[in-house]
Amino acid sequence: GDQVEQSPSALSLHEGTGSALRCNFTTTMRAVQWFQQNSRGSLINLFYLASGTKENGRLKSTFNSKESYSTLHIRDAQLEDSGTYFCAAEAGNYQLIWGSGTKLIIKP
Amino acid sequence: NAGVIQTPRHKVTGKGQEATLWCEPISGHSAVFWYRQTIVQGLEFLTYFRNQAPIDDSGMPKERFSAQMPNQSHSTLKIQSTQPQDSAVYLCASSFRSNQDTQYFGPGTRLLVL
């Protein structure tokens, strides 16, 4: 079965608001990466976490390997945040296993 | 730094033809990865090179697909006898040392097999 379950599959936010995306893992993962795929299809790396929490501007991500989940928080959403967000977890063989993505739409 | 470069950006082939996709990793990066993205399957790992050597090709279809890295500045993904189901966006990524480092992605090559 799927080792990485990402939710929600779609999310609509008004500018200035925030929310959280989540990935649950069915097996122990070594690390997690979060990516944004923009309207041109380019994948941009947002975070790489082997543990704990990282923050970058309006984004914050947490990886809890013991409880097998990771979250990506977005605050004060802006129009340019629109896109599809993916988590990708490193399995035991270091291969990346991808979530199915969250399509985020930011409305004015 | 130009980032990961992939060429061509778009490719249309007829069924049965060969397609070669090119990737130039970020200068100084030792690891190169190939992925495939489709609406149905999402993002799938294909293969991974480190210092030009193939490390993990467990995601590569056993037939018709091959990847090489003849030098540190480029890698190729070749698909022989292309089929419509090969249509996808093929993404290349590089990282500084290995698959334990942050991966930086190229813009992808959109392959359409008619």
Side-chain angles (χ1 to χ4, degrees), chain A residues 22-40:
Chain A
R22 185 176 175 107
C23 283
N24 291 324
F25 313 120
T26 56
T27 60
T28 300
M29 300 295 182
R30 294 176 180 270
V32 68
Q33 300 188 45
W34 284 91
F35 297 87
Q36 178 198 26
Q37 189 168 37
N38 61 22
S39 58
R40 294 187 303 278

Side-chain angles (χ1 to χ4, degrees), chain B residues 68-86:
Chain B
Q68 295 181 330
M69 191 161 183
N71 57 59
Q72 64 184 8
S73 64
H74 90 270
S75 175
T76 57
L77 179 68
K78 185 180 291 185
I79 309 172
Q80 294 177 311
S81 185
T82 54
Q83 303 297 311
Q85 61 266 30
D86 299 332

Side-chain angles (χ1 to χ4, degrees), chain A residues 30 33 35 37 40-45 47-48 86 90 93-96 98-100, chain B residues 9 35 37 42-45 56 58-59 89 91 99-107:
Chain A
R30 294 176 180 270
Q33 300 188 45
F35 297 87
Q37 189 168 37
R40 294 187 303 278
S42 298
L43 273 168
I44 301 162
N45 189 283
F47 293 103
Y48 178 97
F86 292 94
E90 274 183 25
N93 61 358
Y94 297 101
Q95 192 177 109
L96 279 182
W98 293 79
S100 54
Chain B
R9 294 294 308 277
Y35 296 87
Q37 185 177 27
L43 275 155
E44 300 173 280
F45 167 81
D56 181 355
S58 59
V89 175
L91 291 156
N99 55 2
Q100 298 180 53
D101 296 316
T102 300
Q103 295 182 30
Y104 297 87
F105 283 77

Side-chain angles (χ1 to χ4, degrees), chain B residues 28-33 48-51 94-102:
Chain B
H29 280 193
S30 303
V32 170
F33 308 82
Y48 154 48
F49 294 86
R50 188 172 69 222
N51 294 322
S94 72
S95 70
F96 182 57
R97 279 189 307 261
S98 72
N99 55 2
Q100 298 180 53
D101 296 316
T102 300

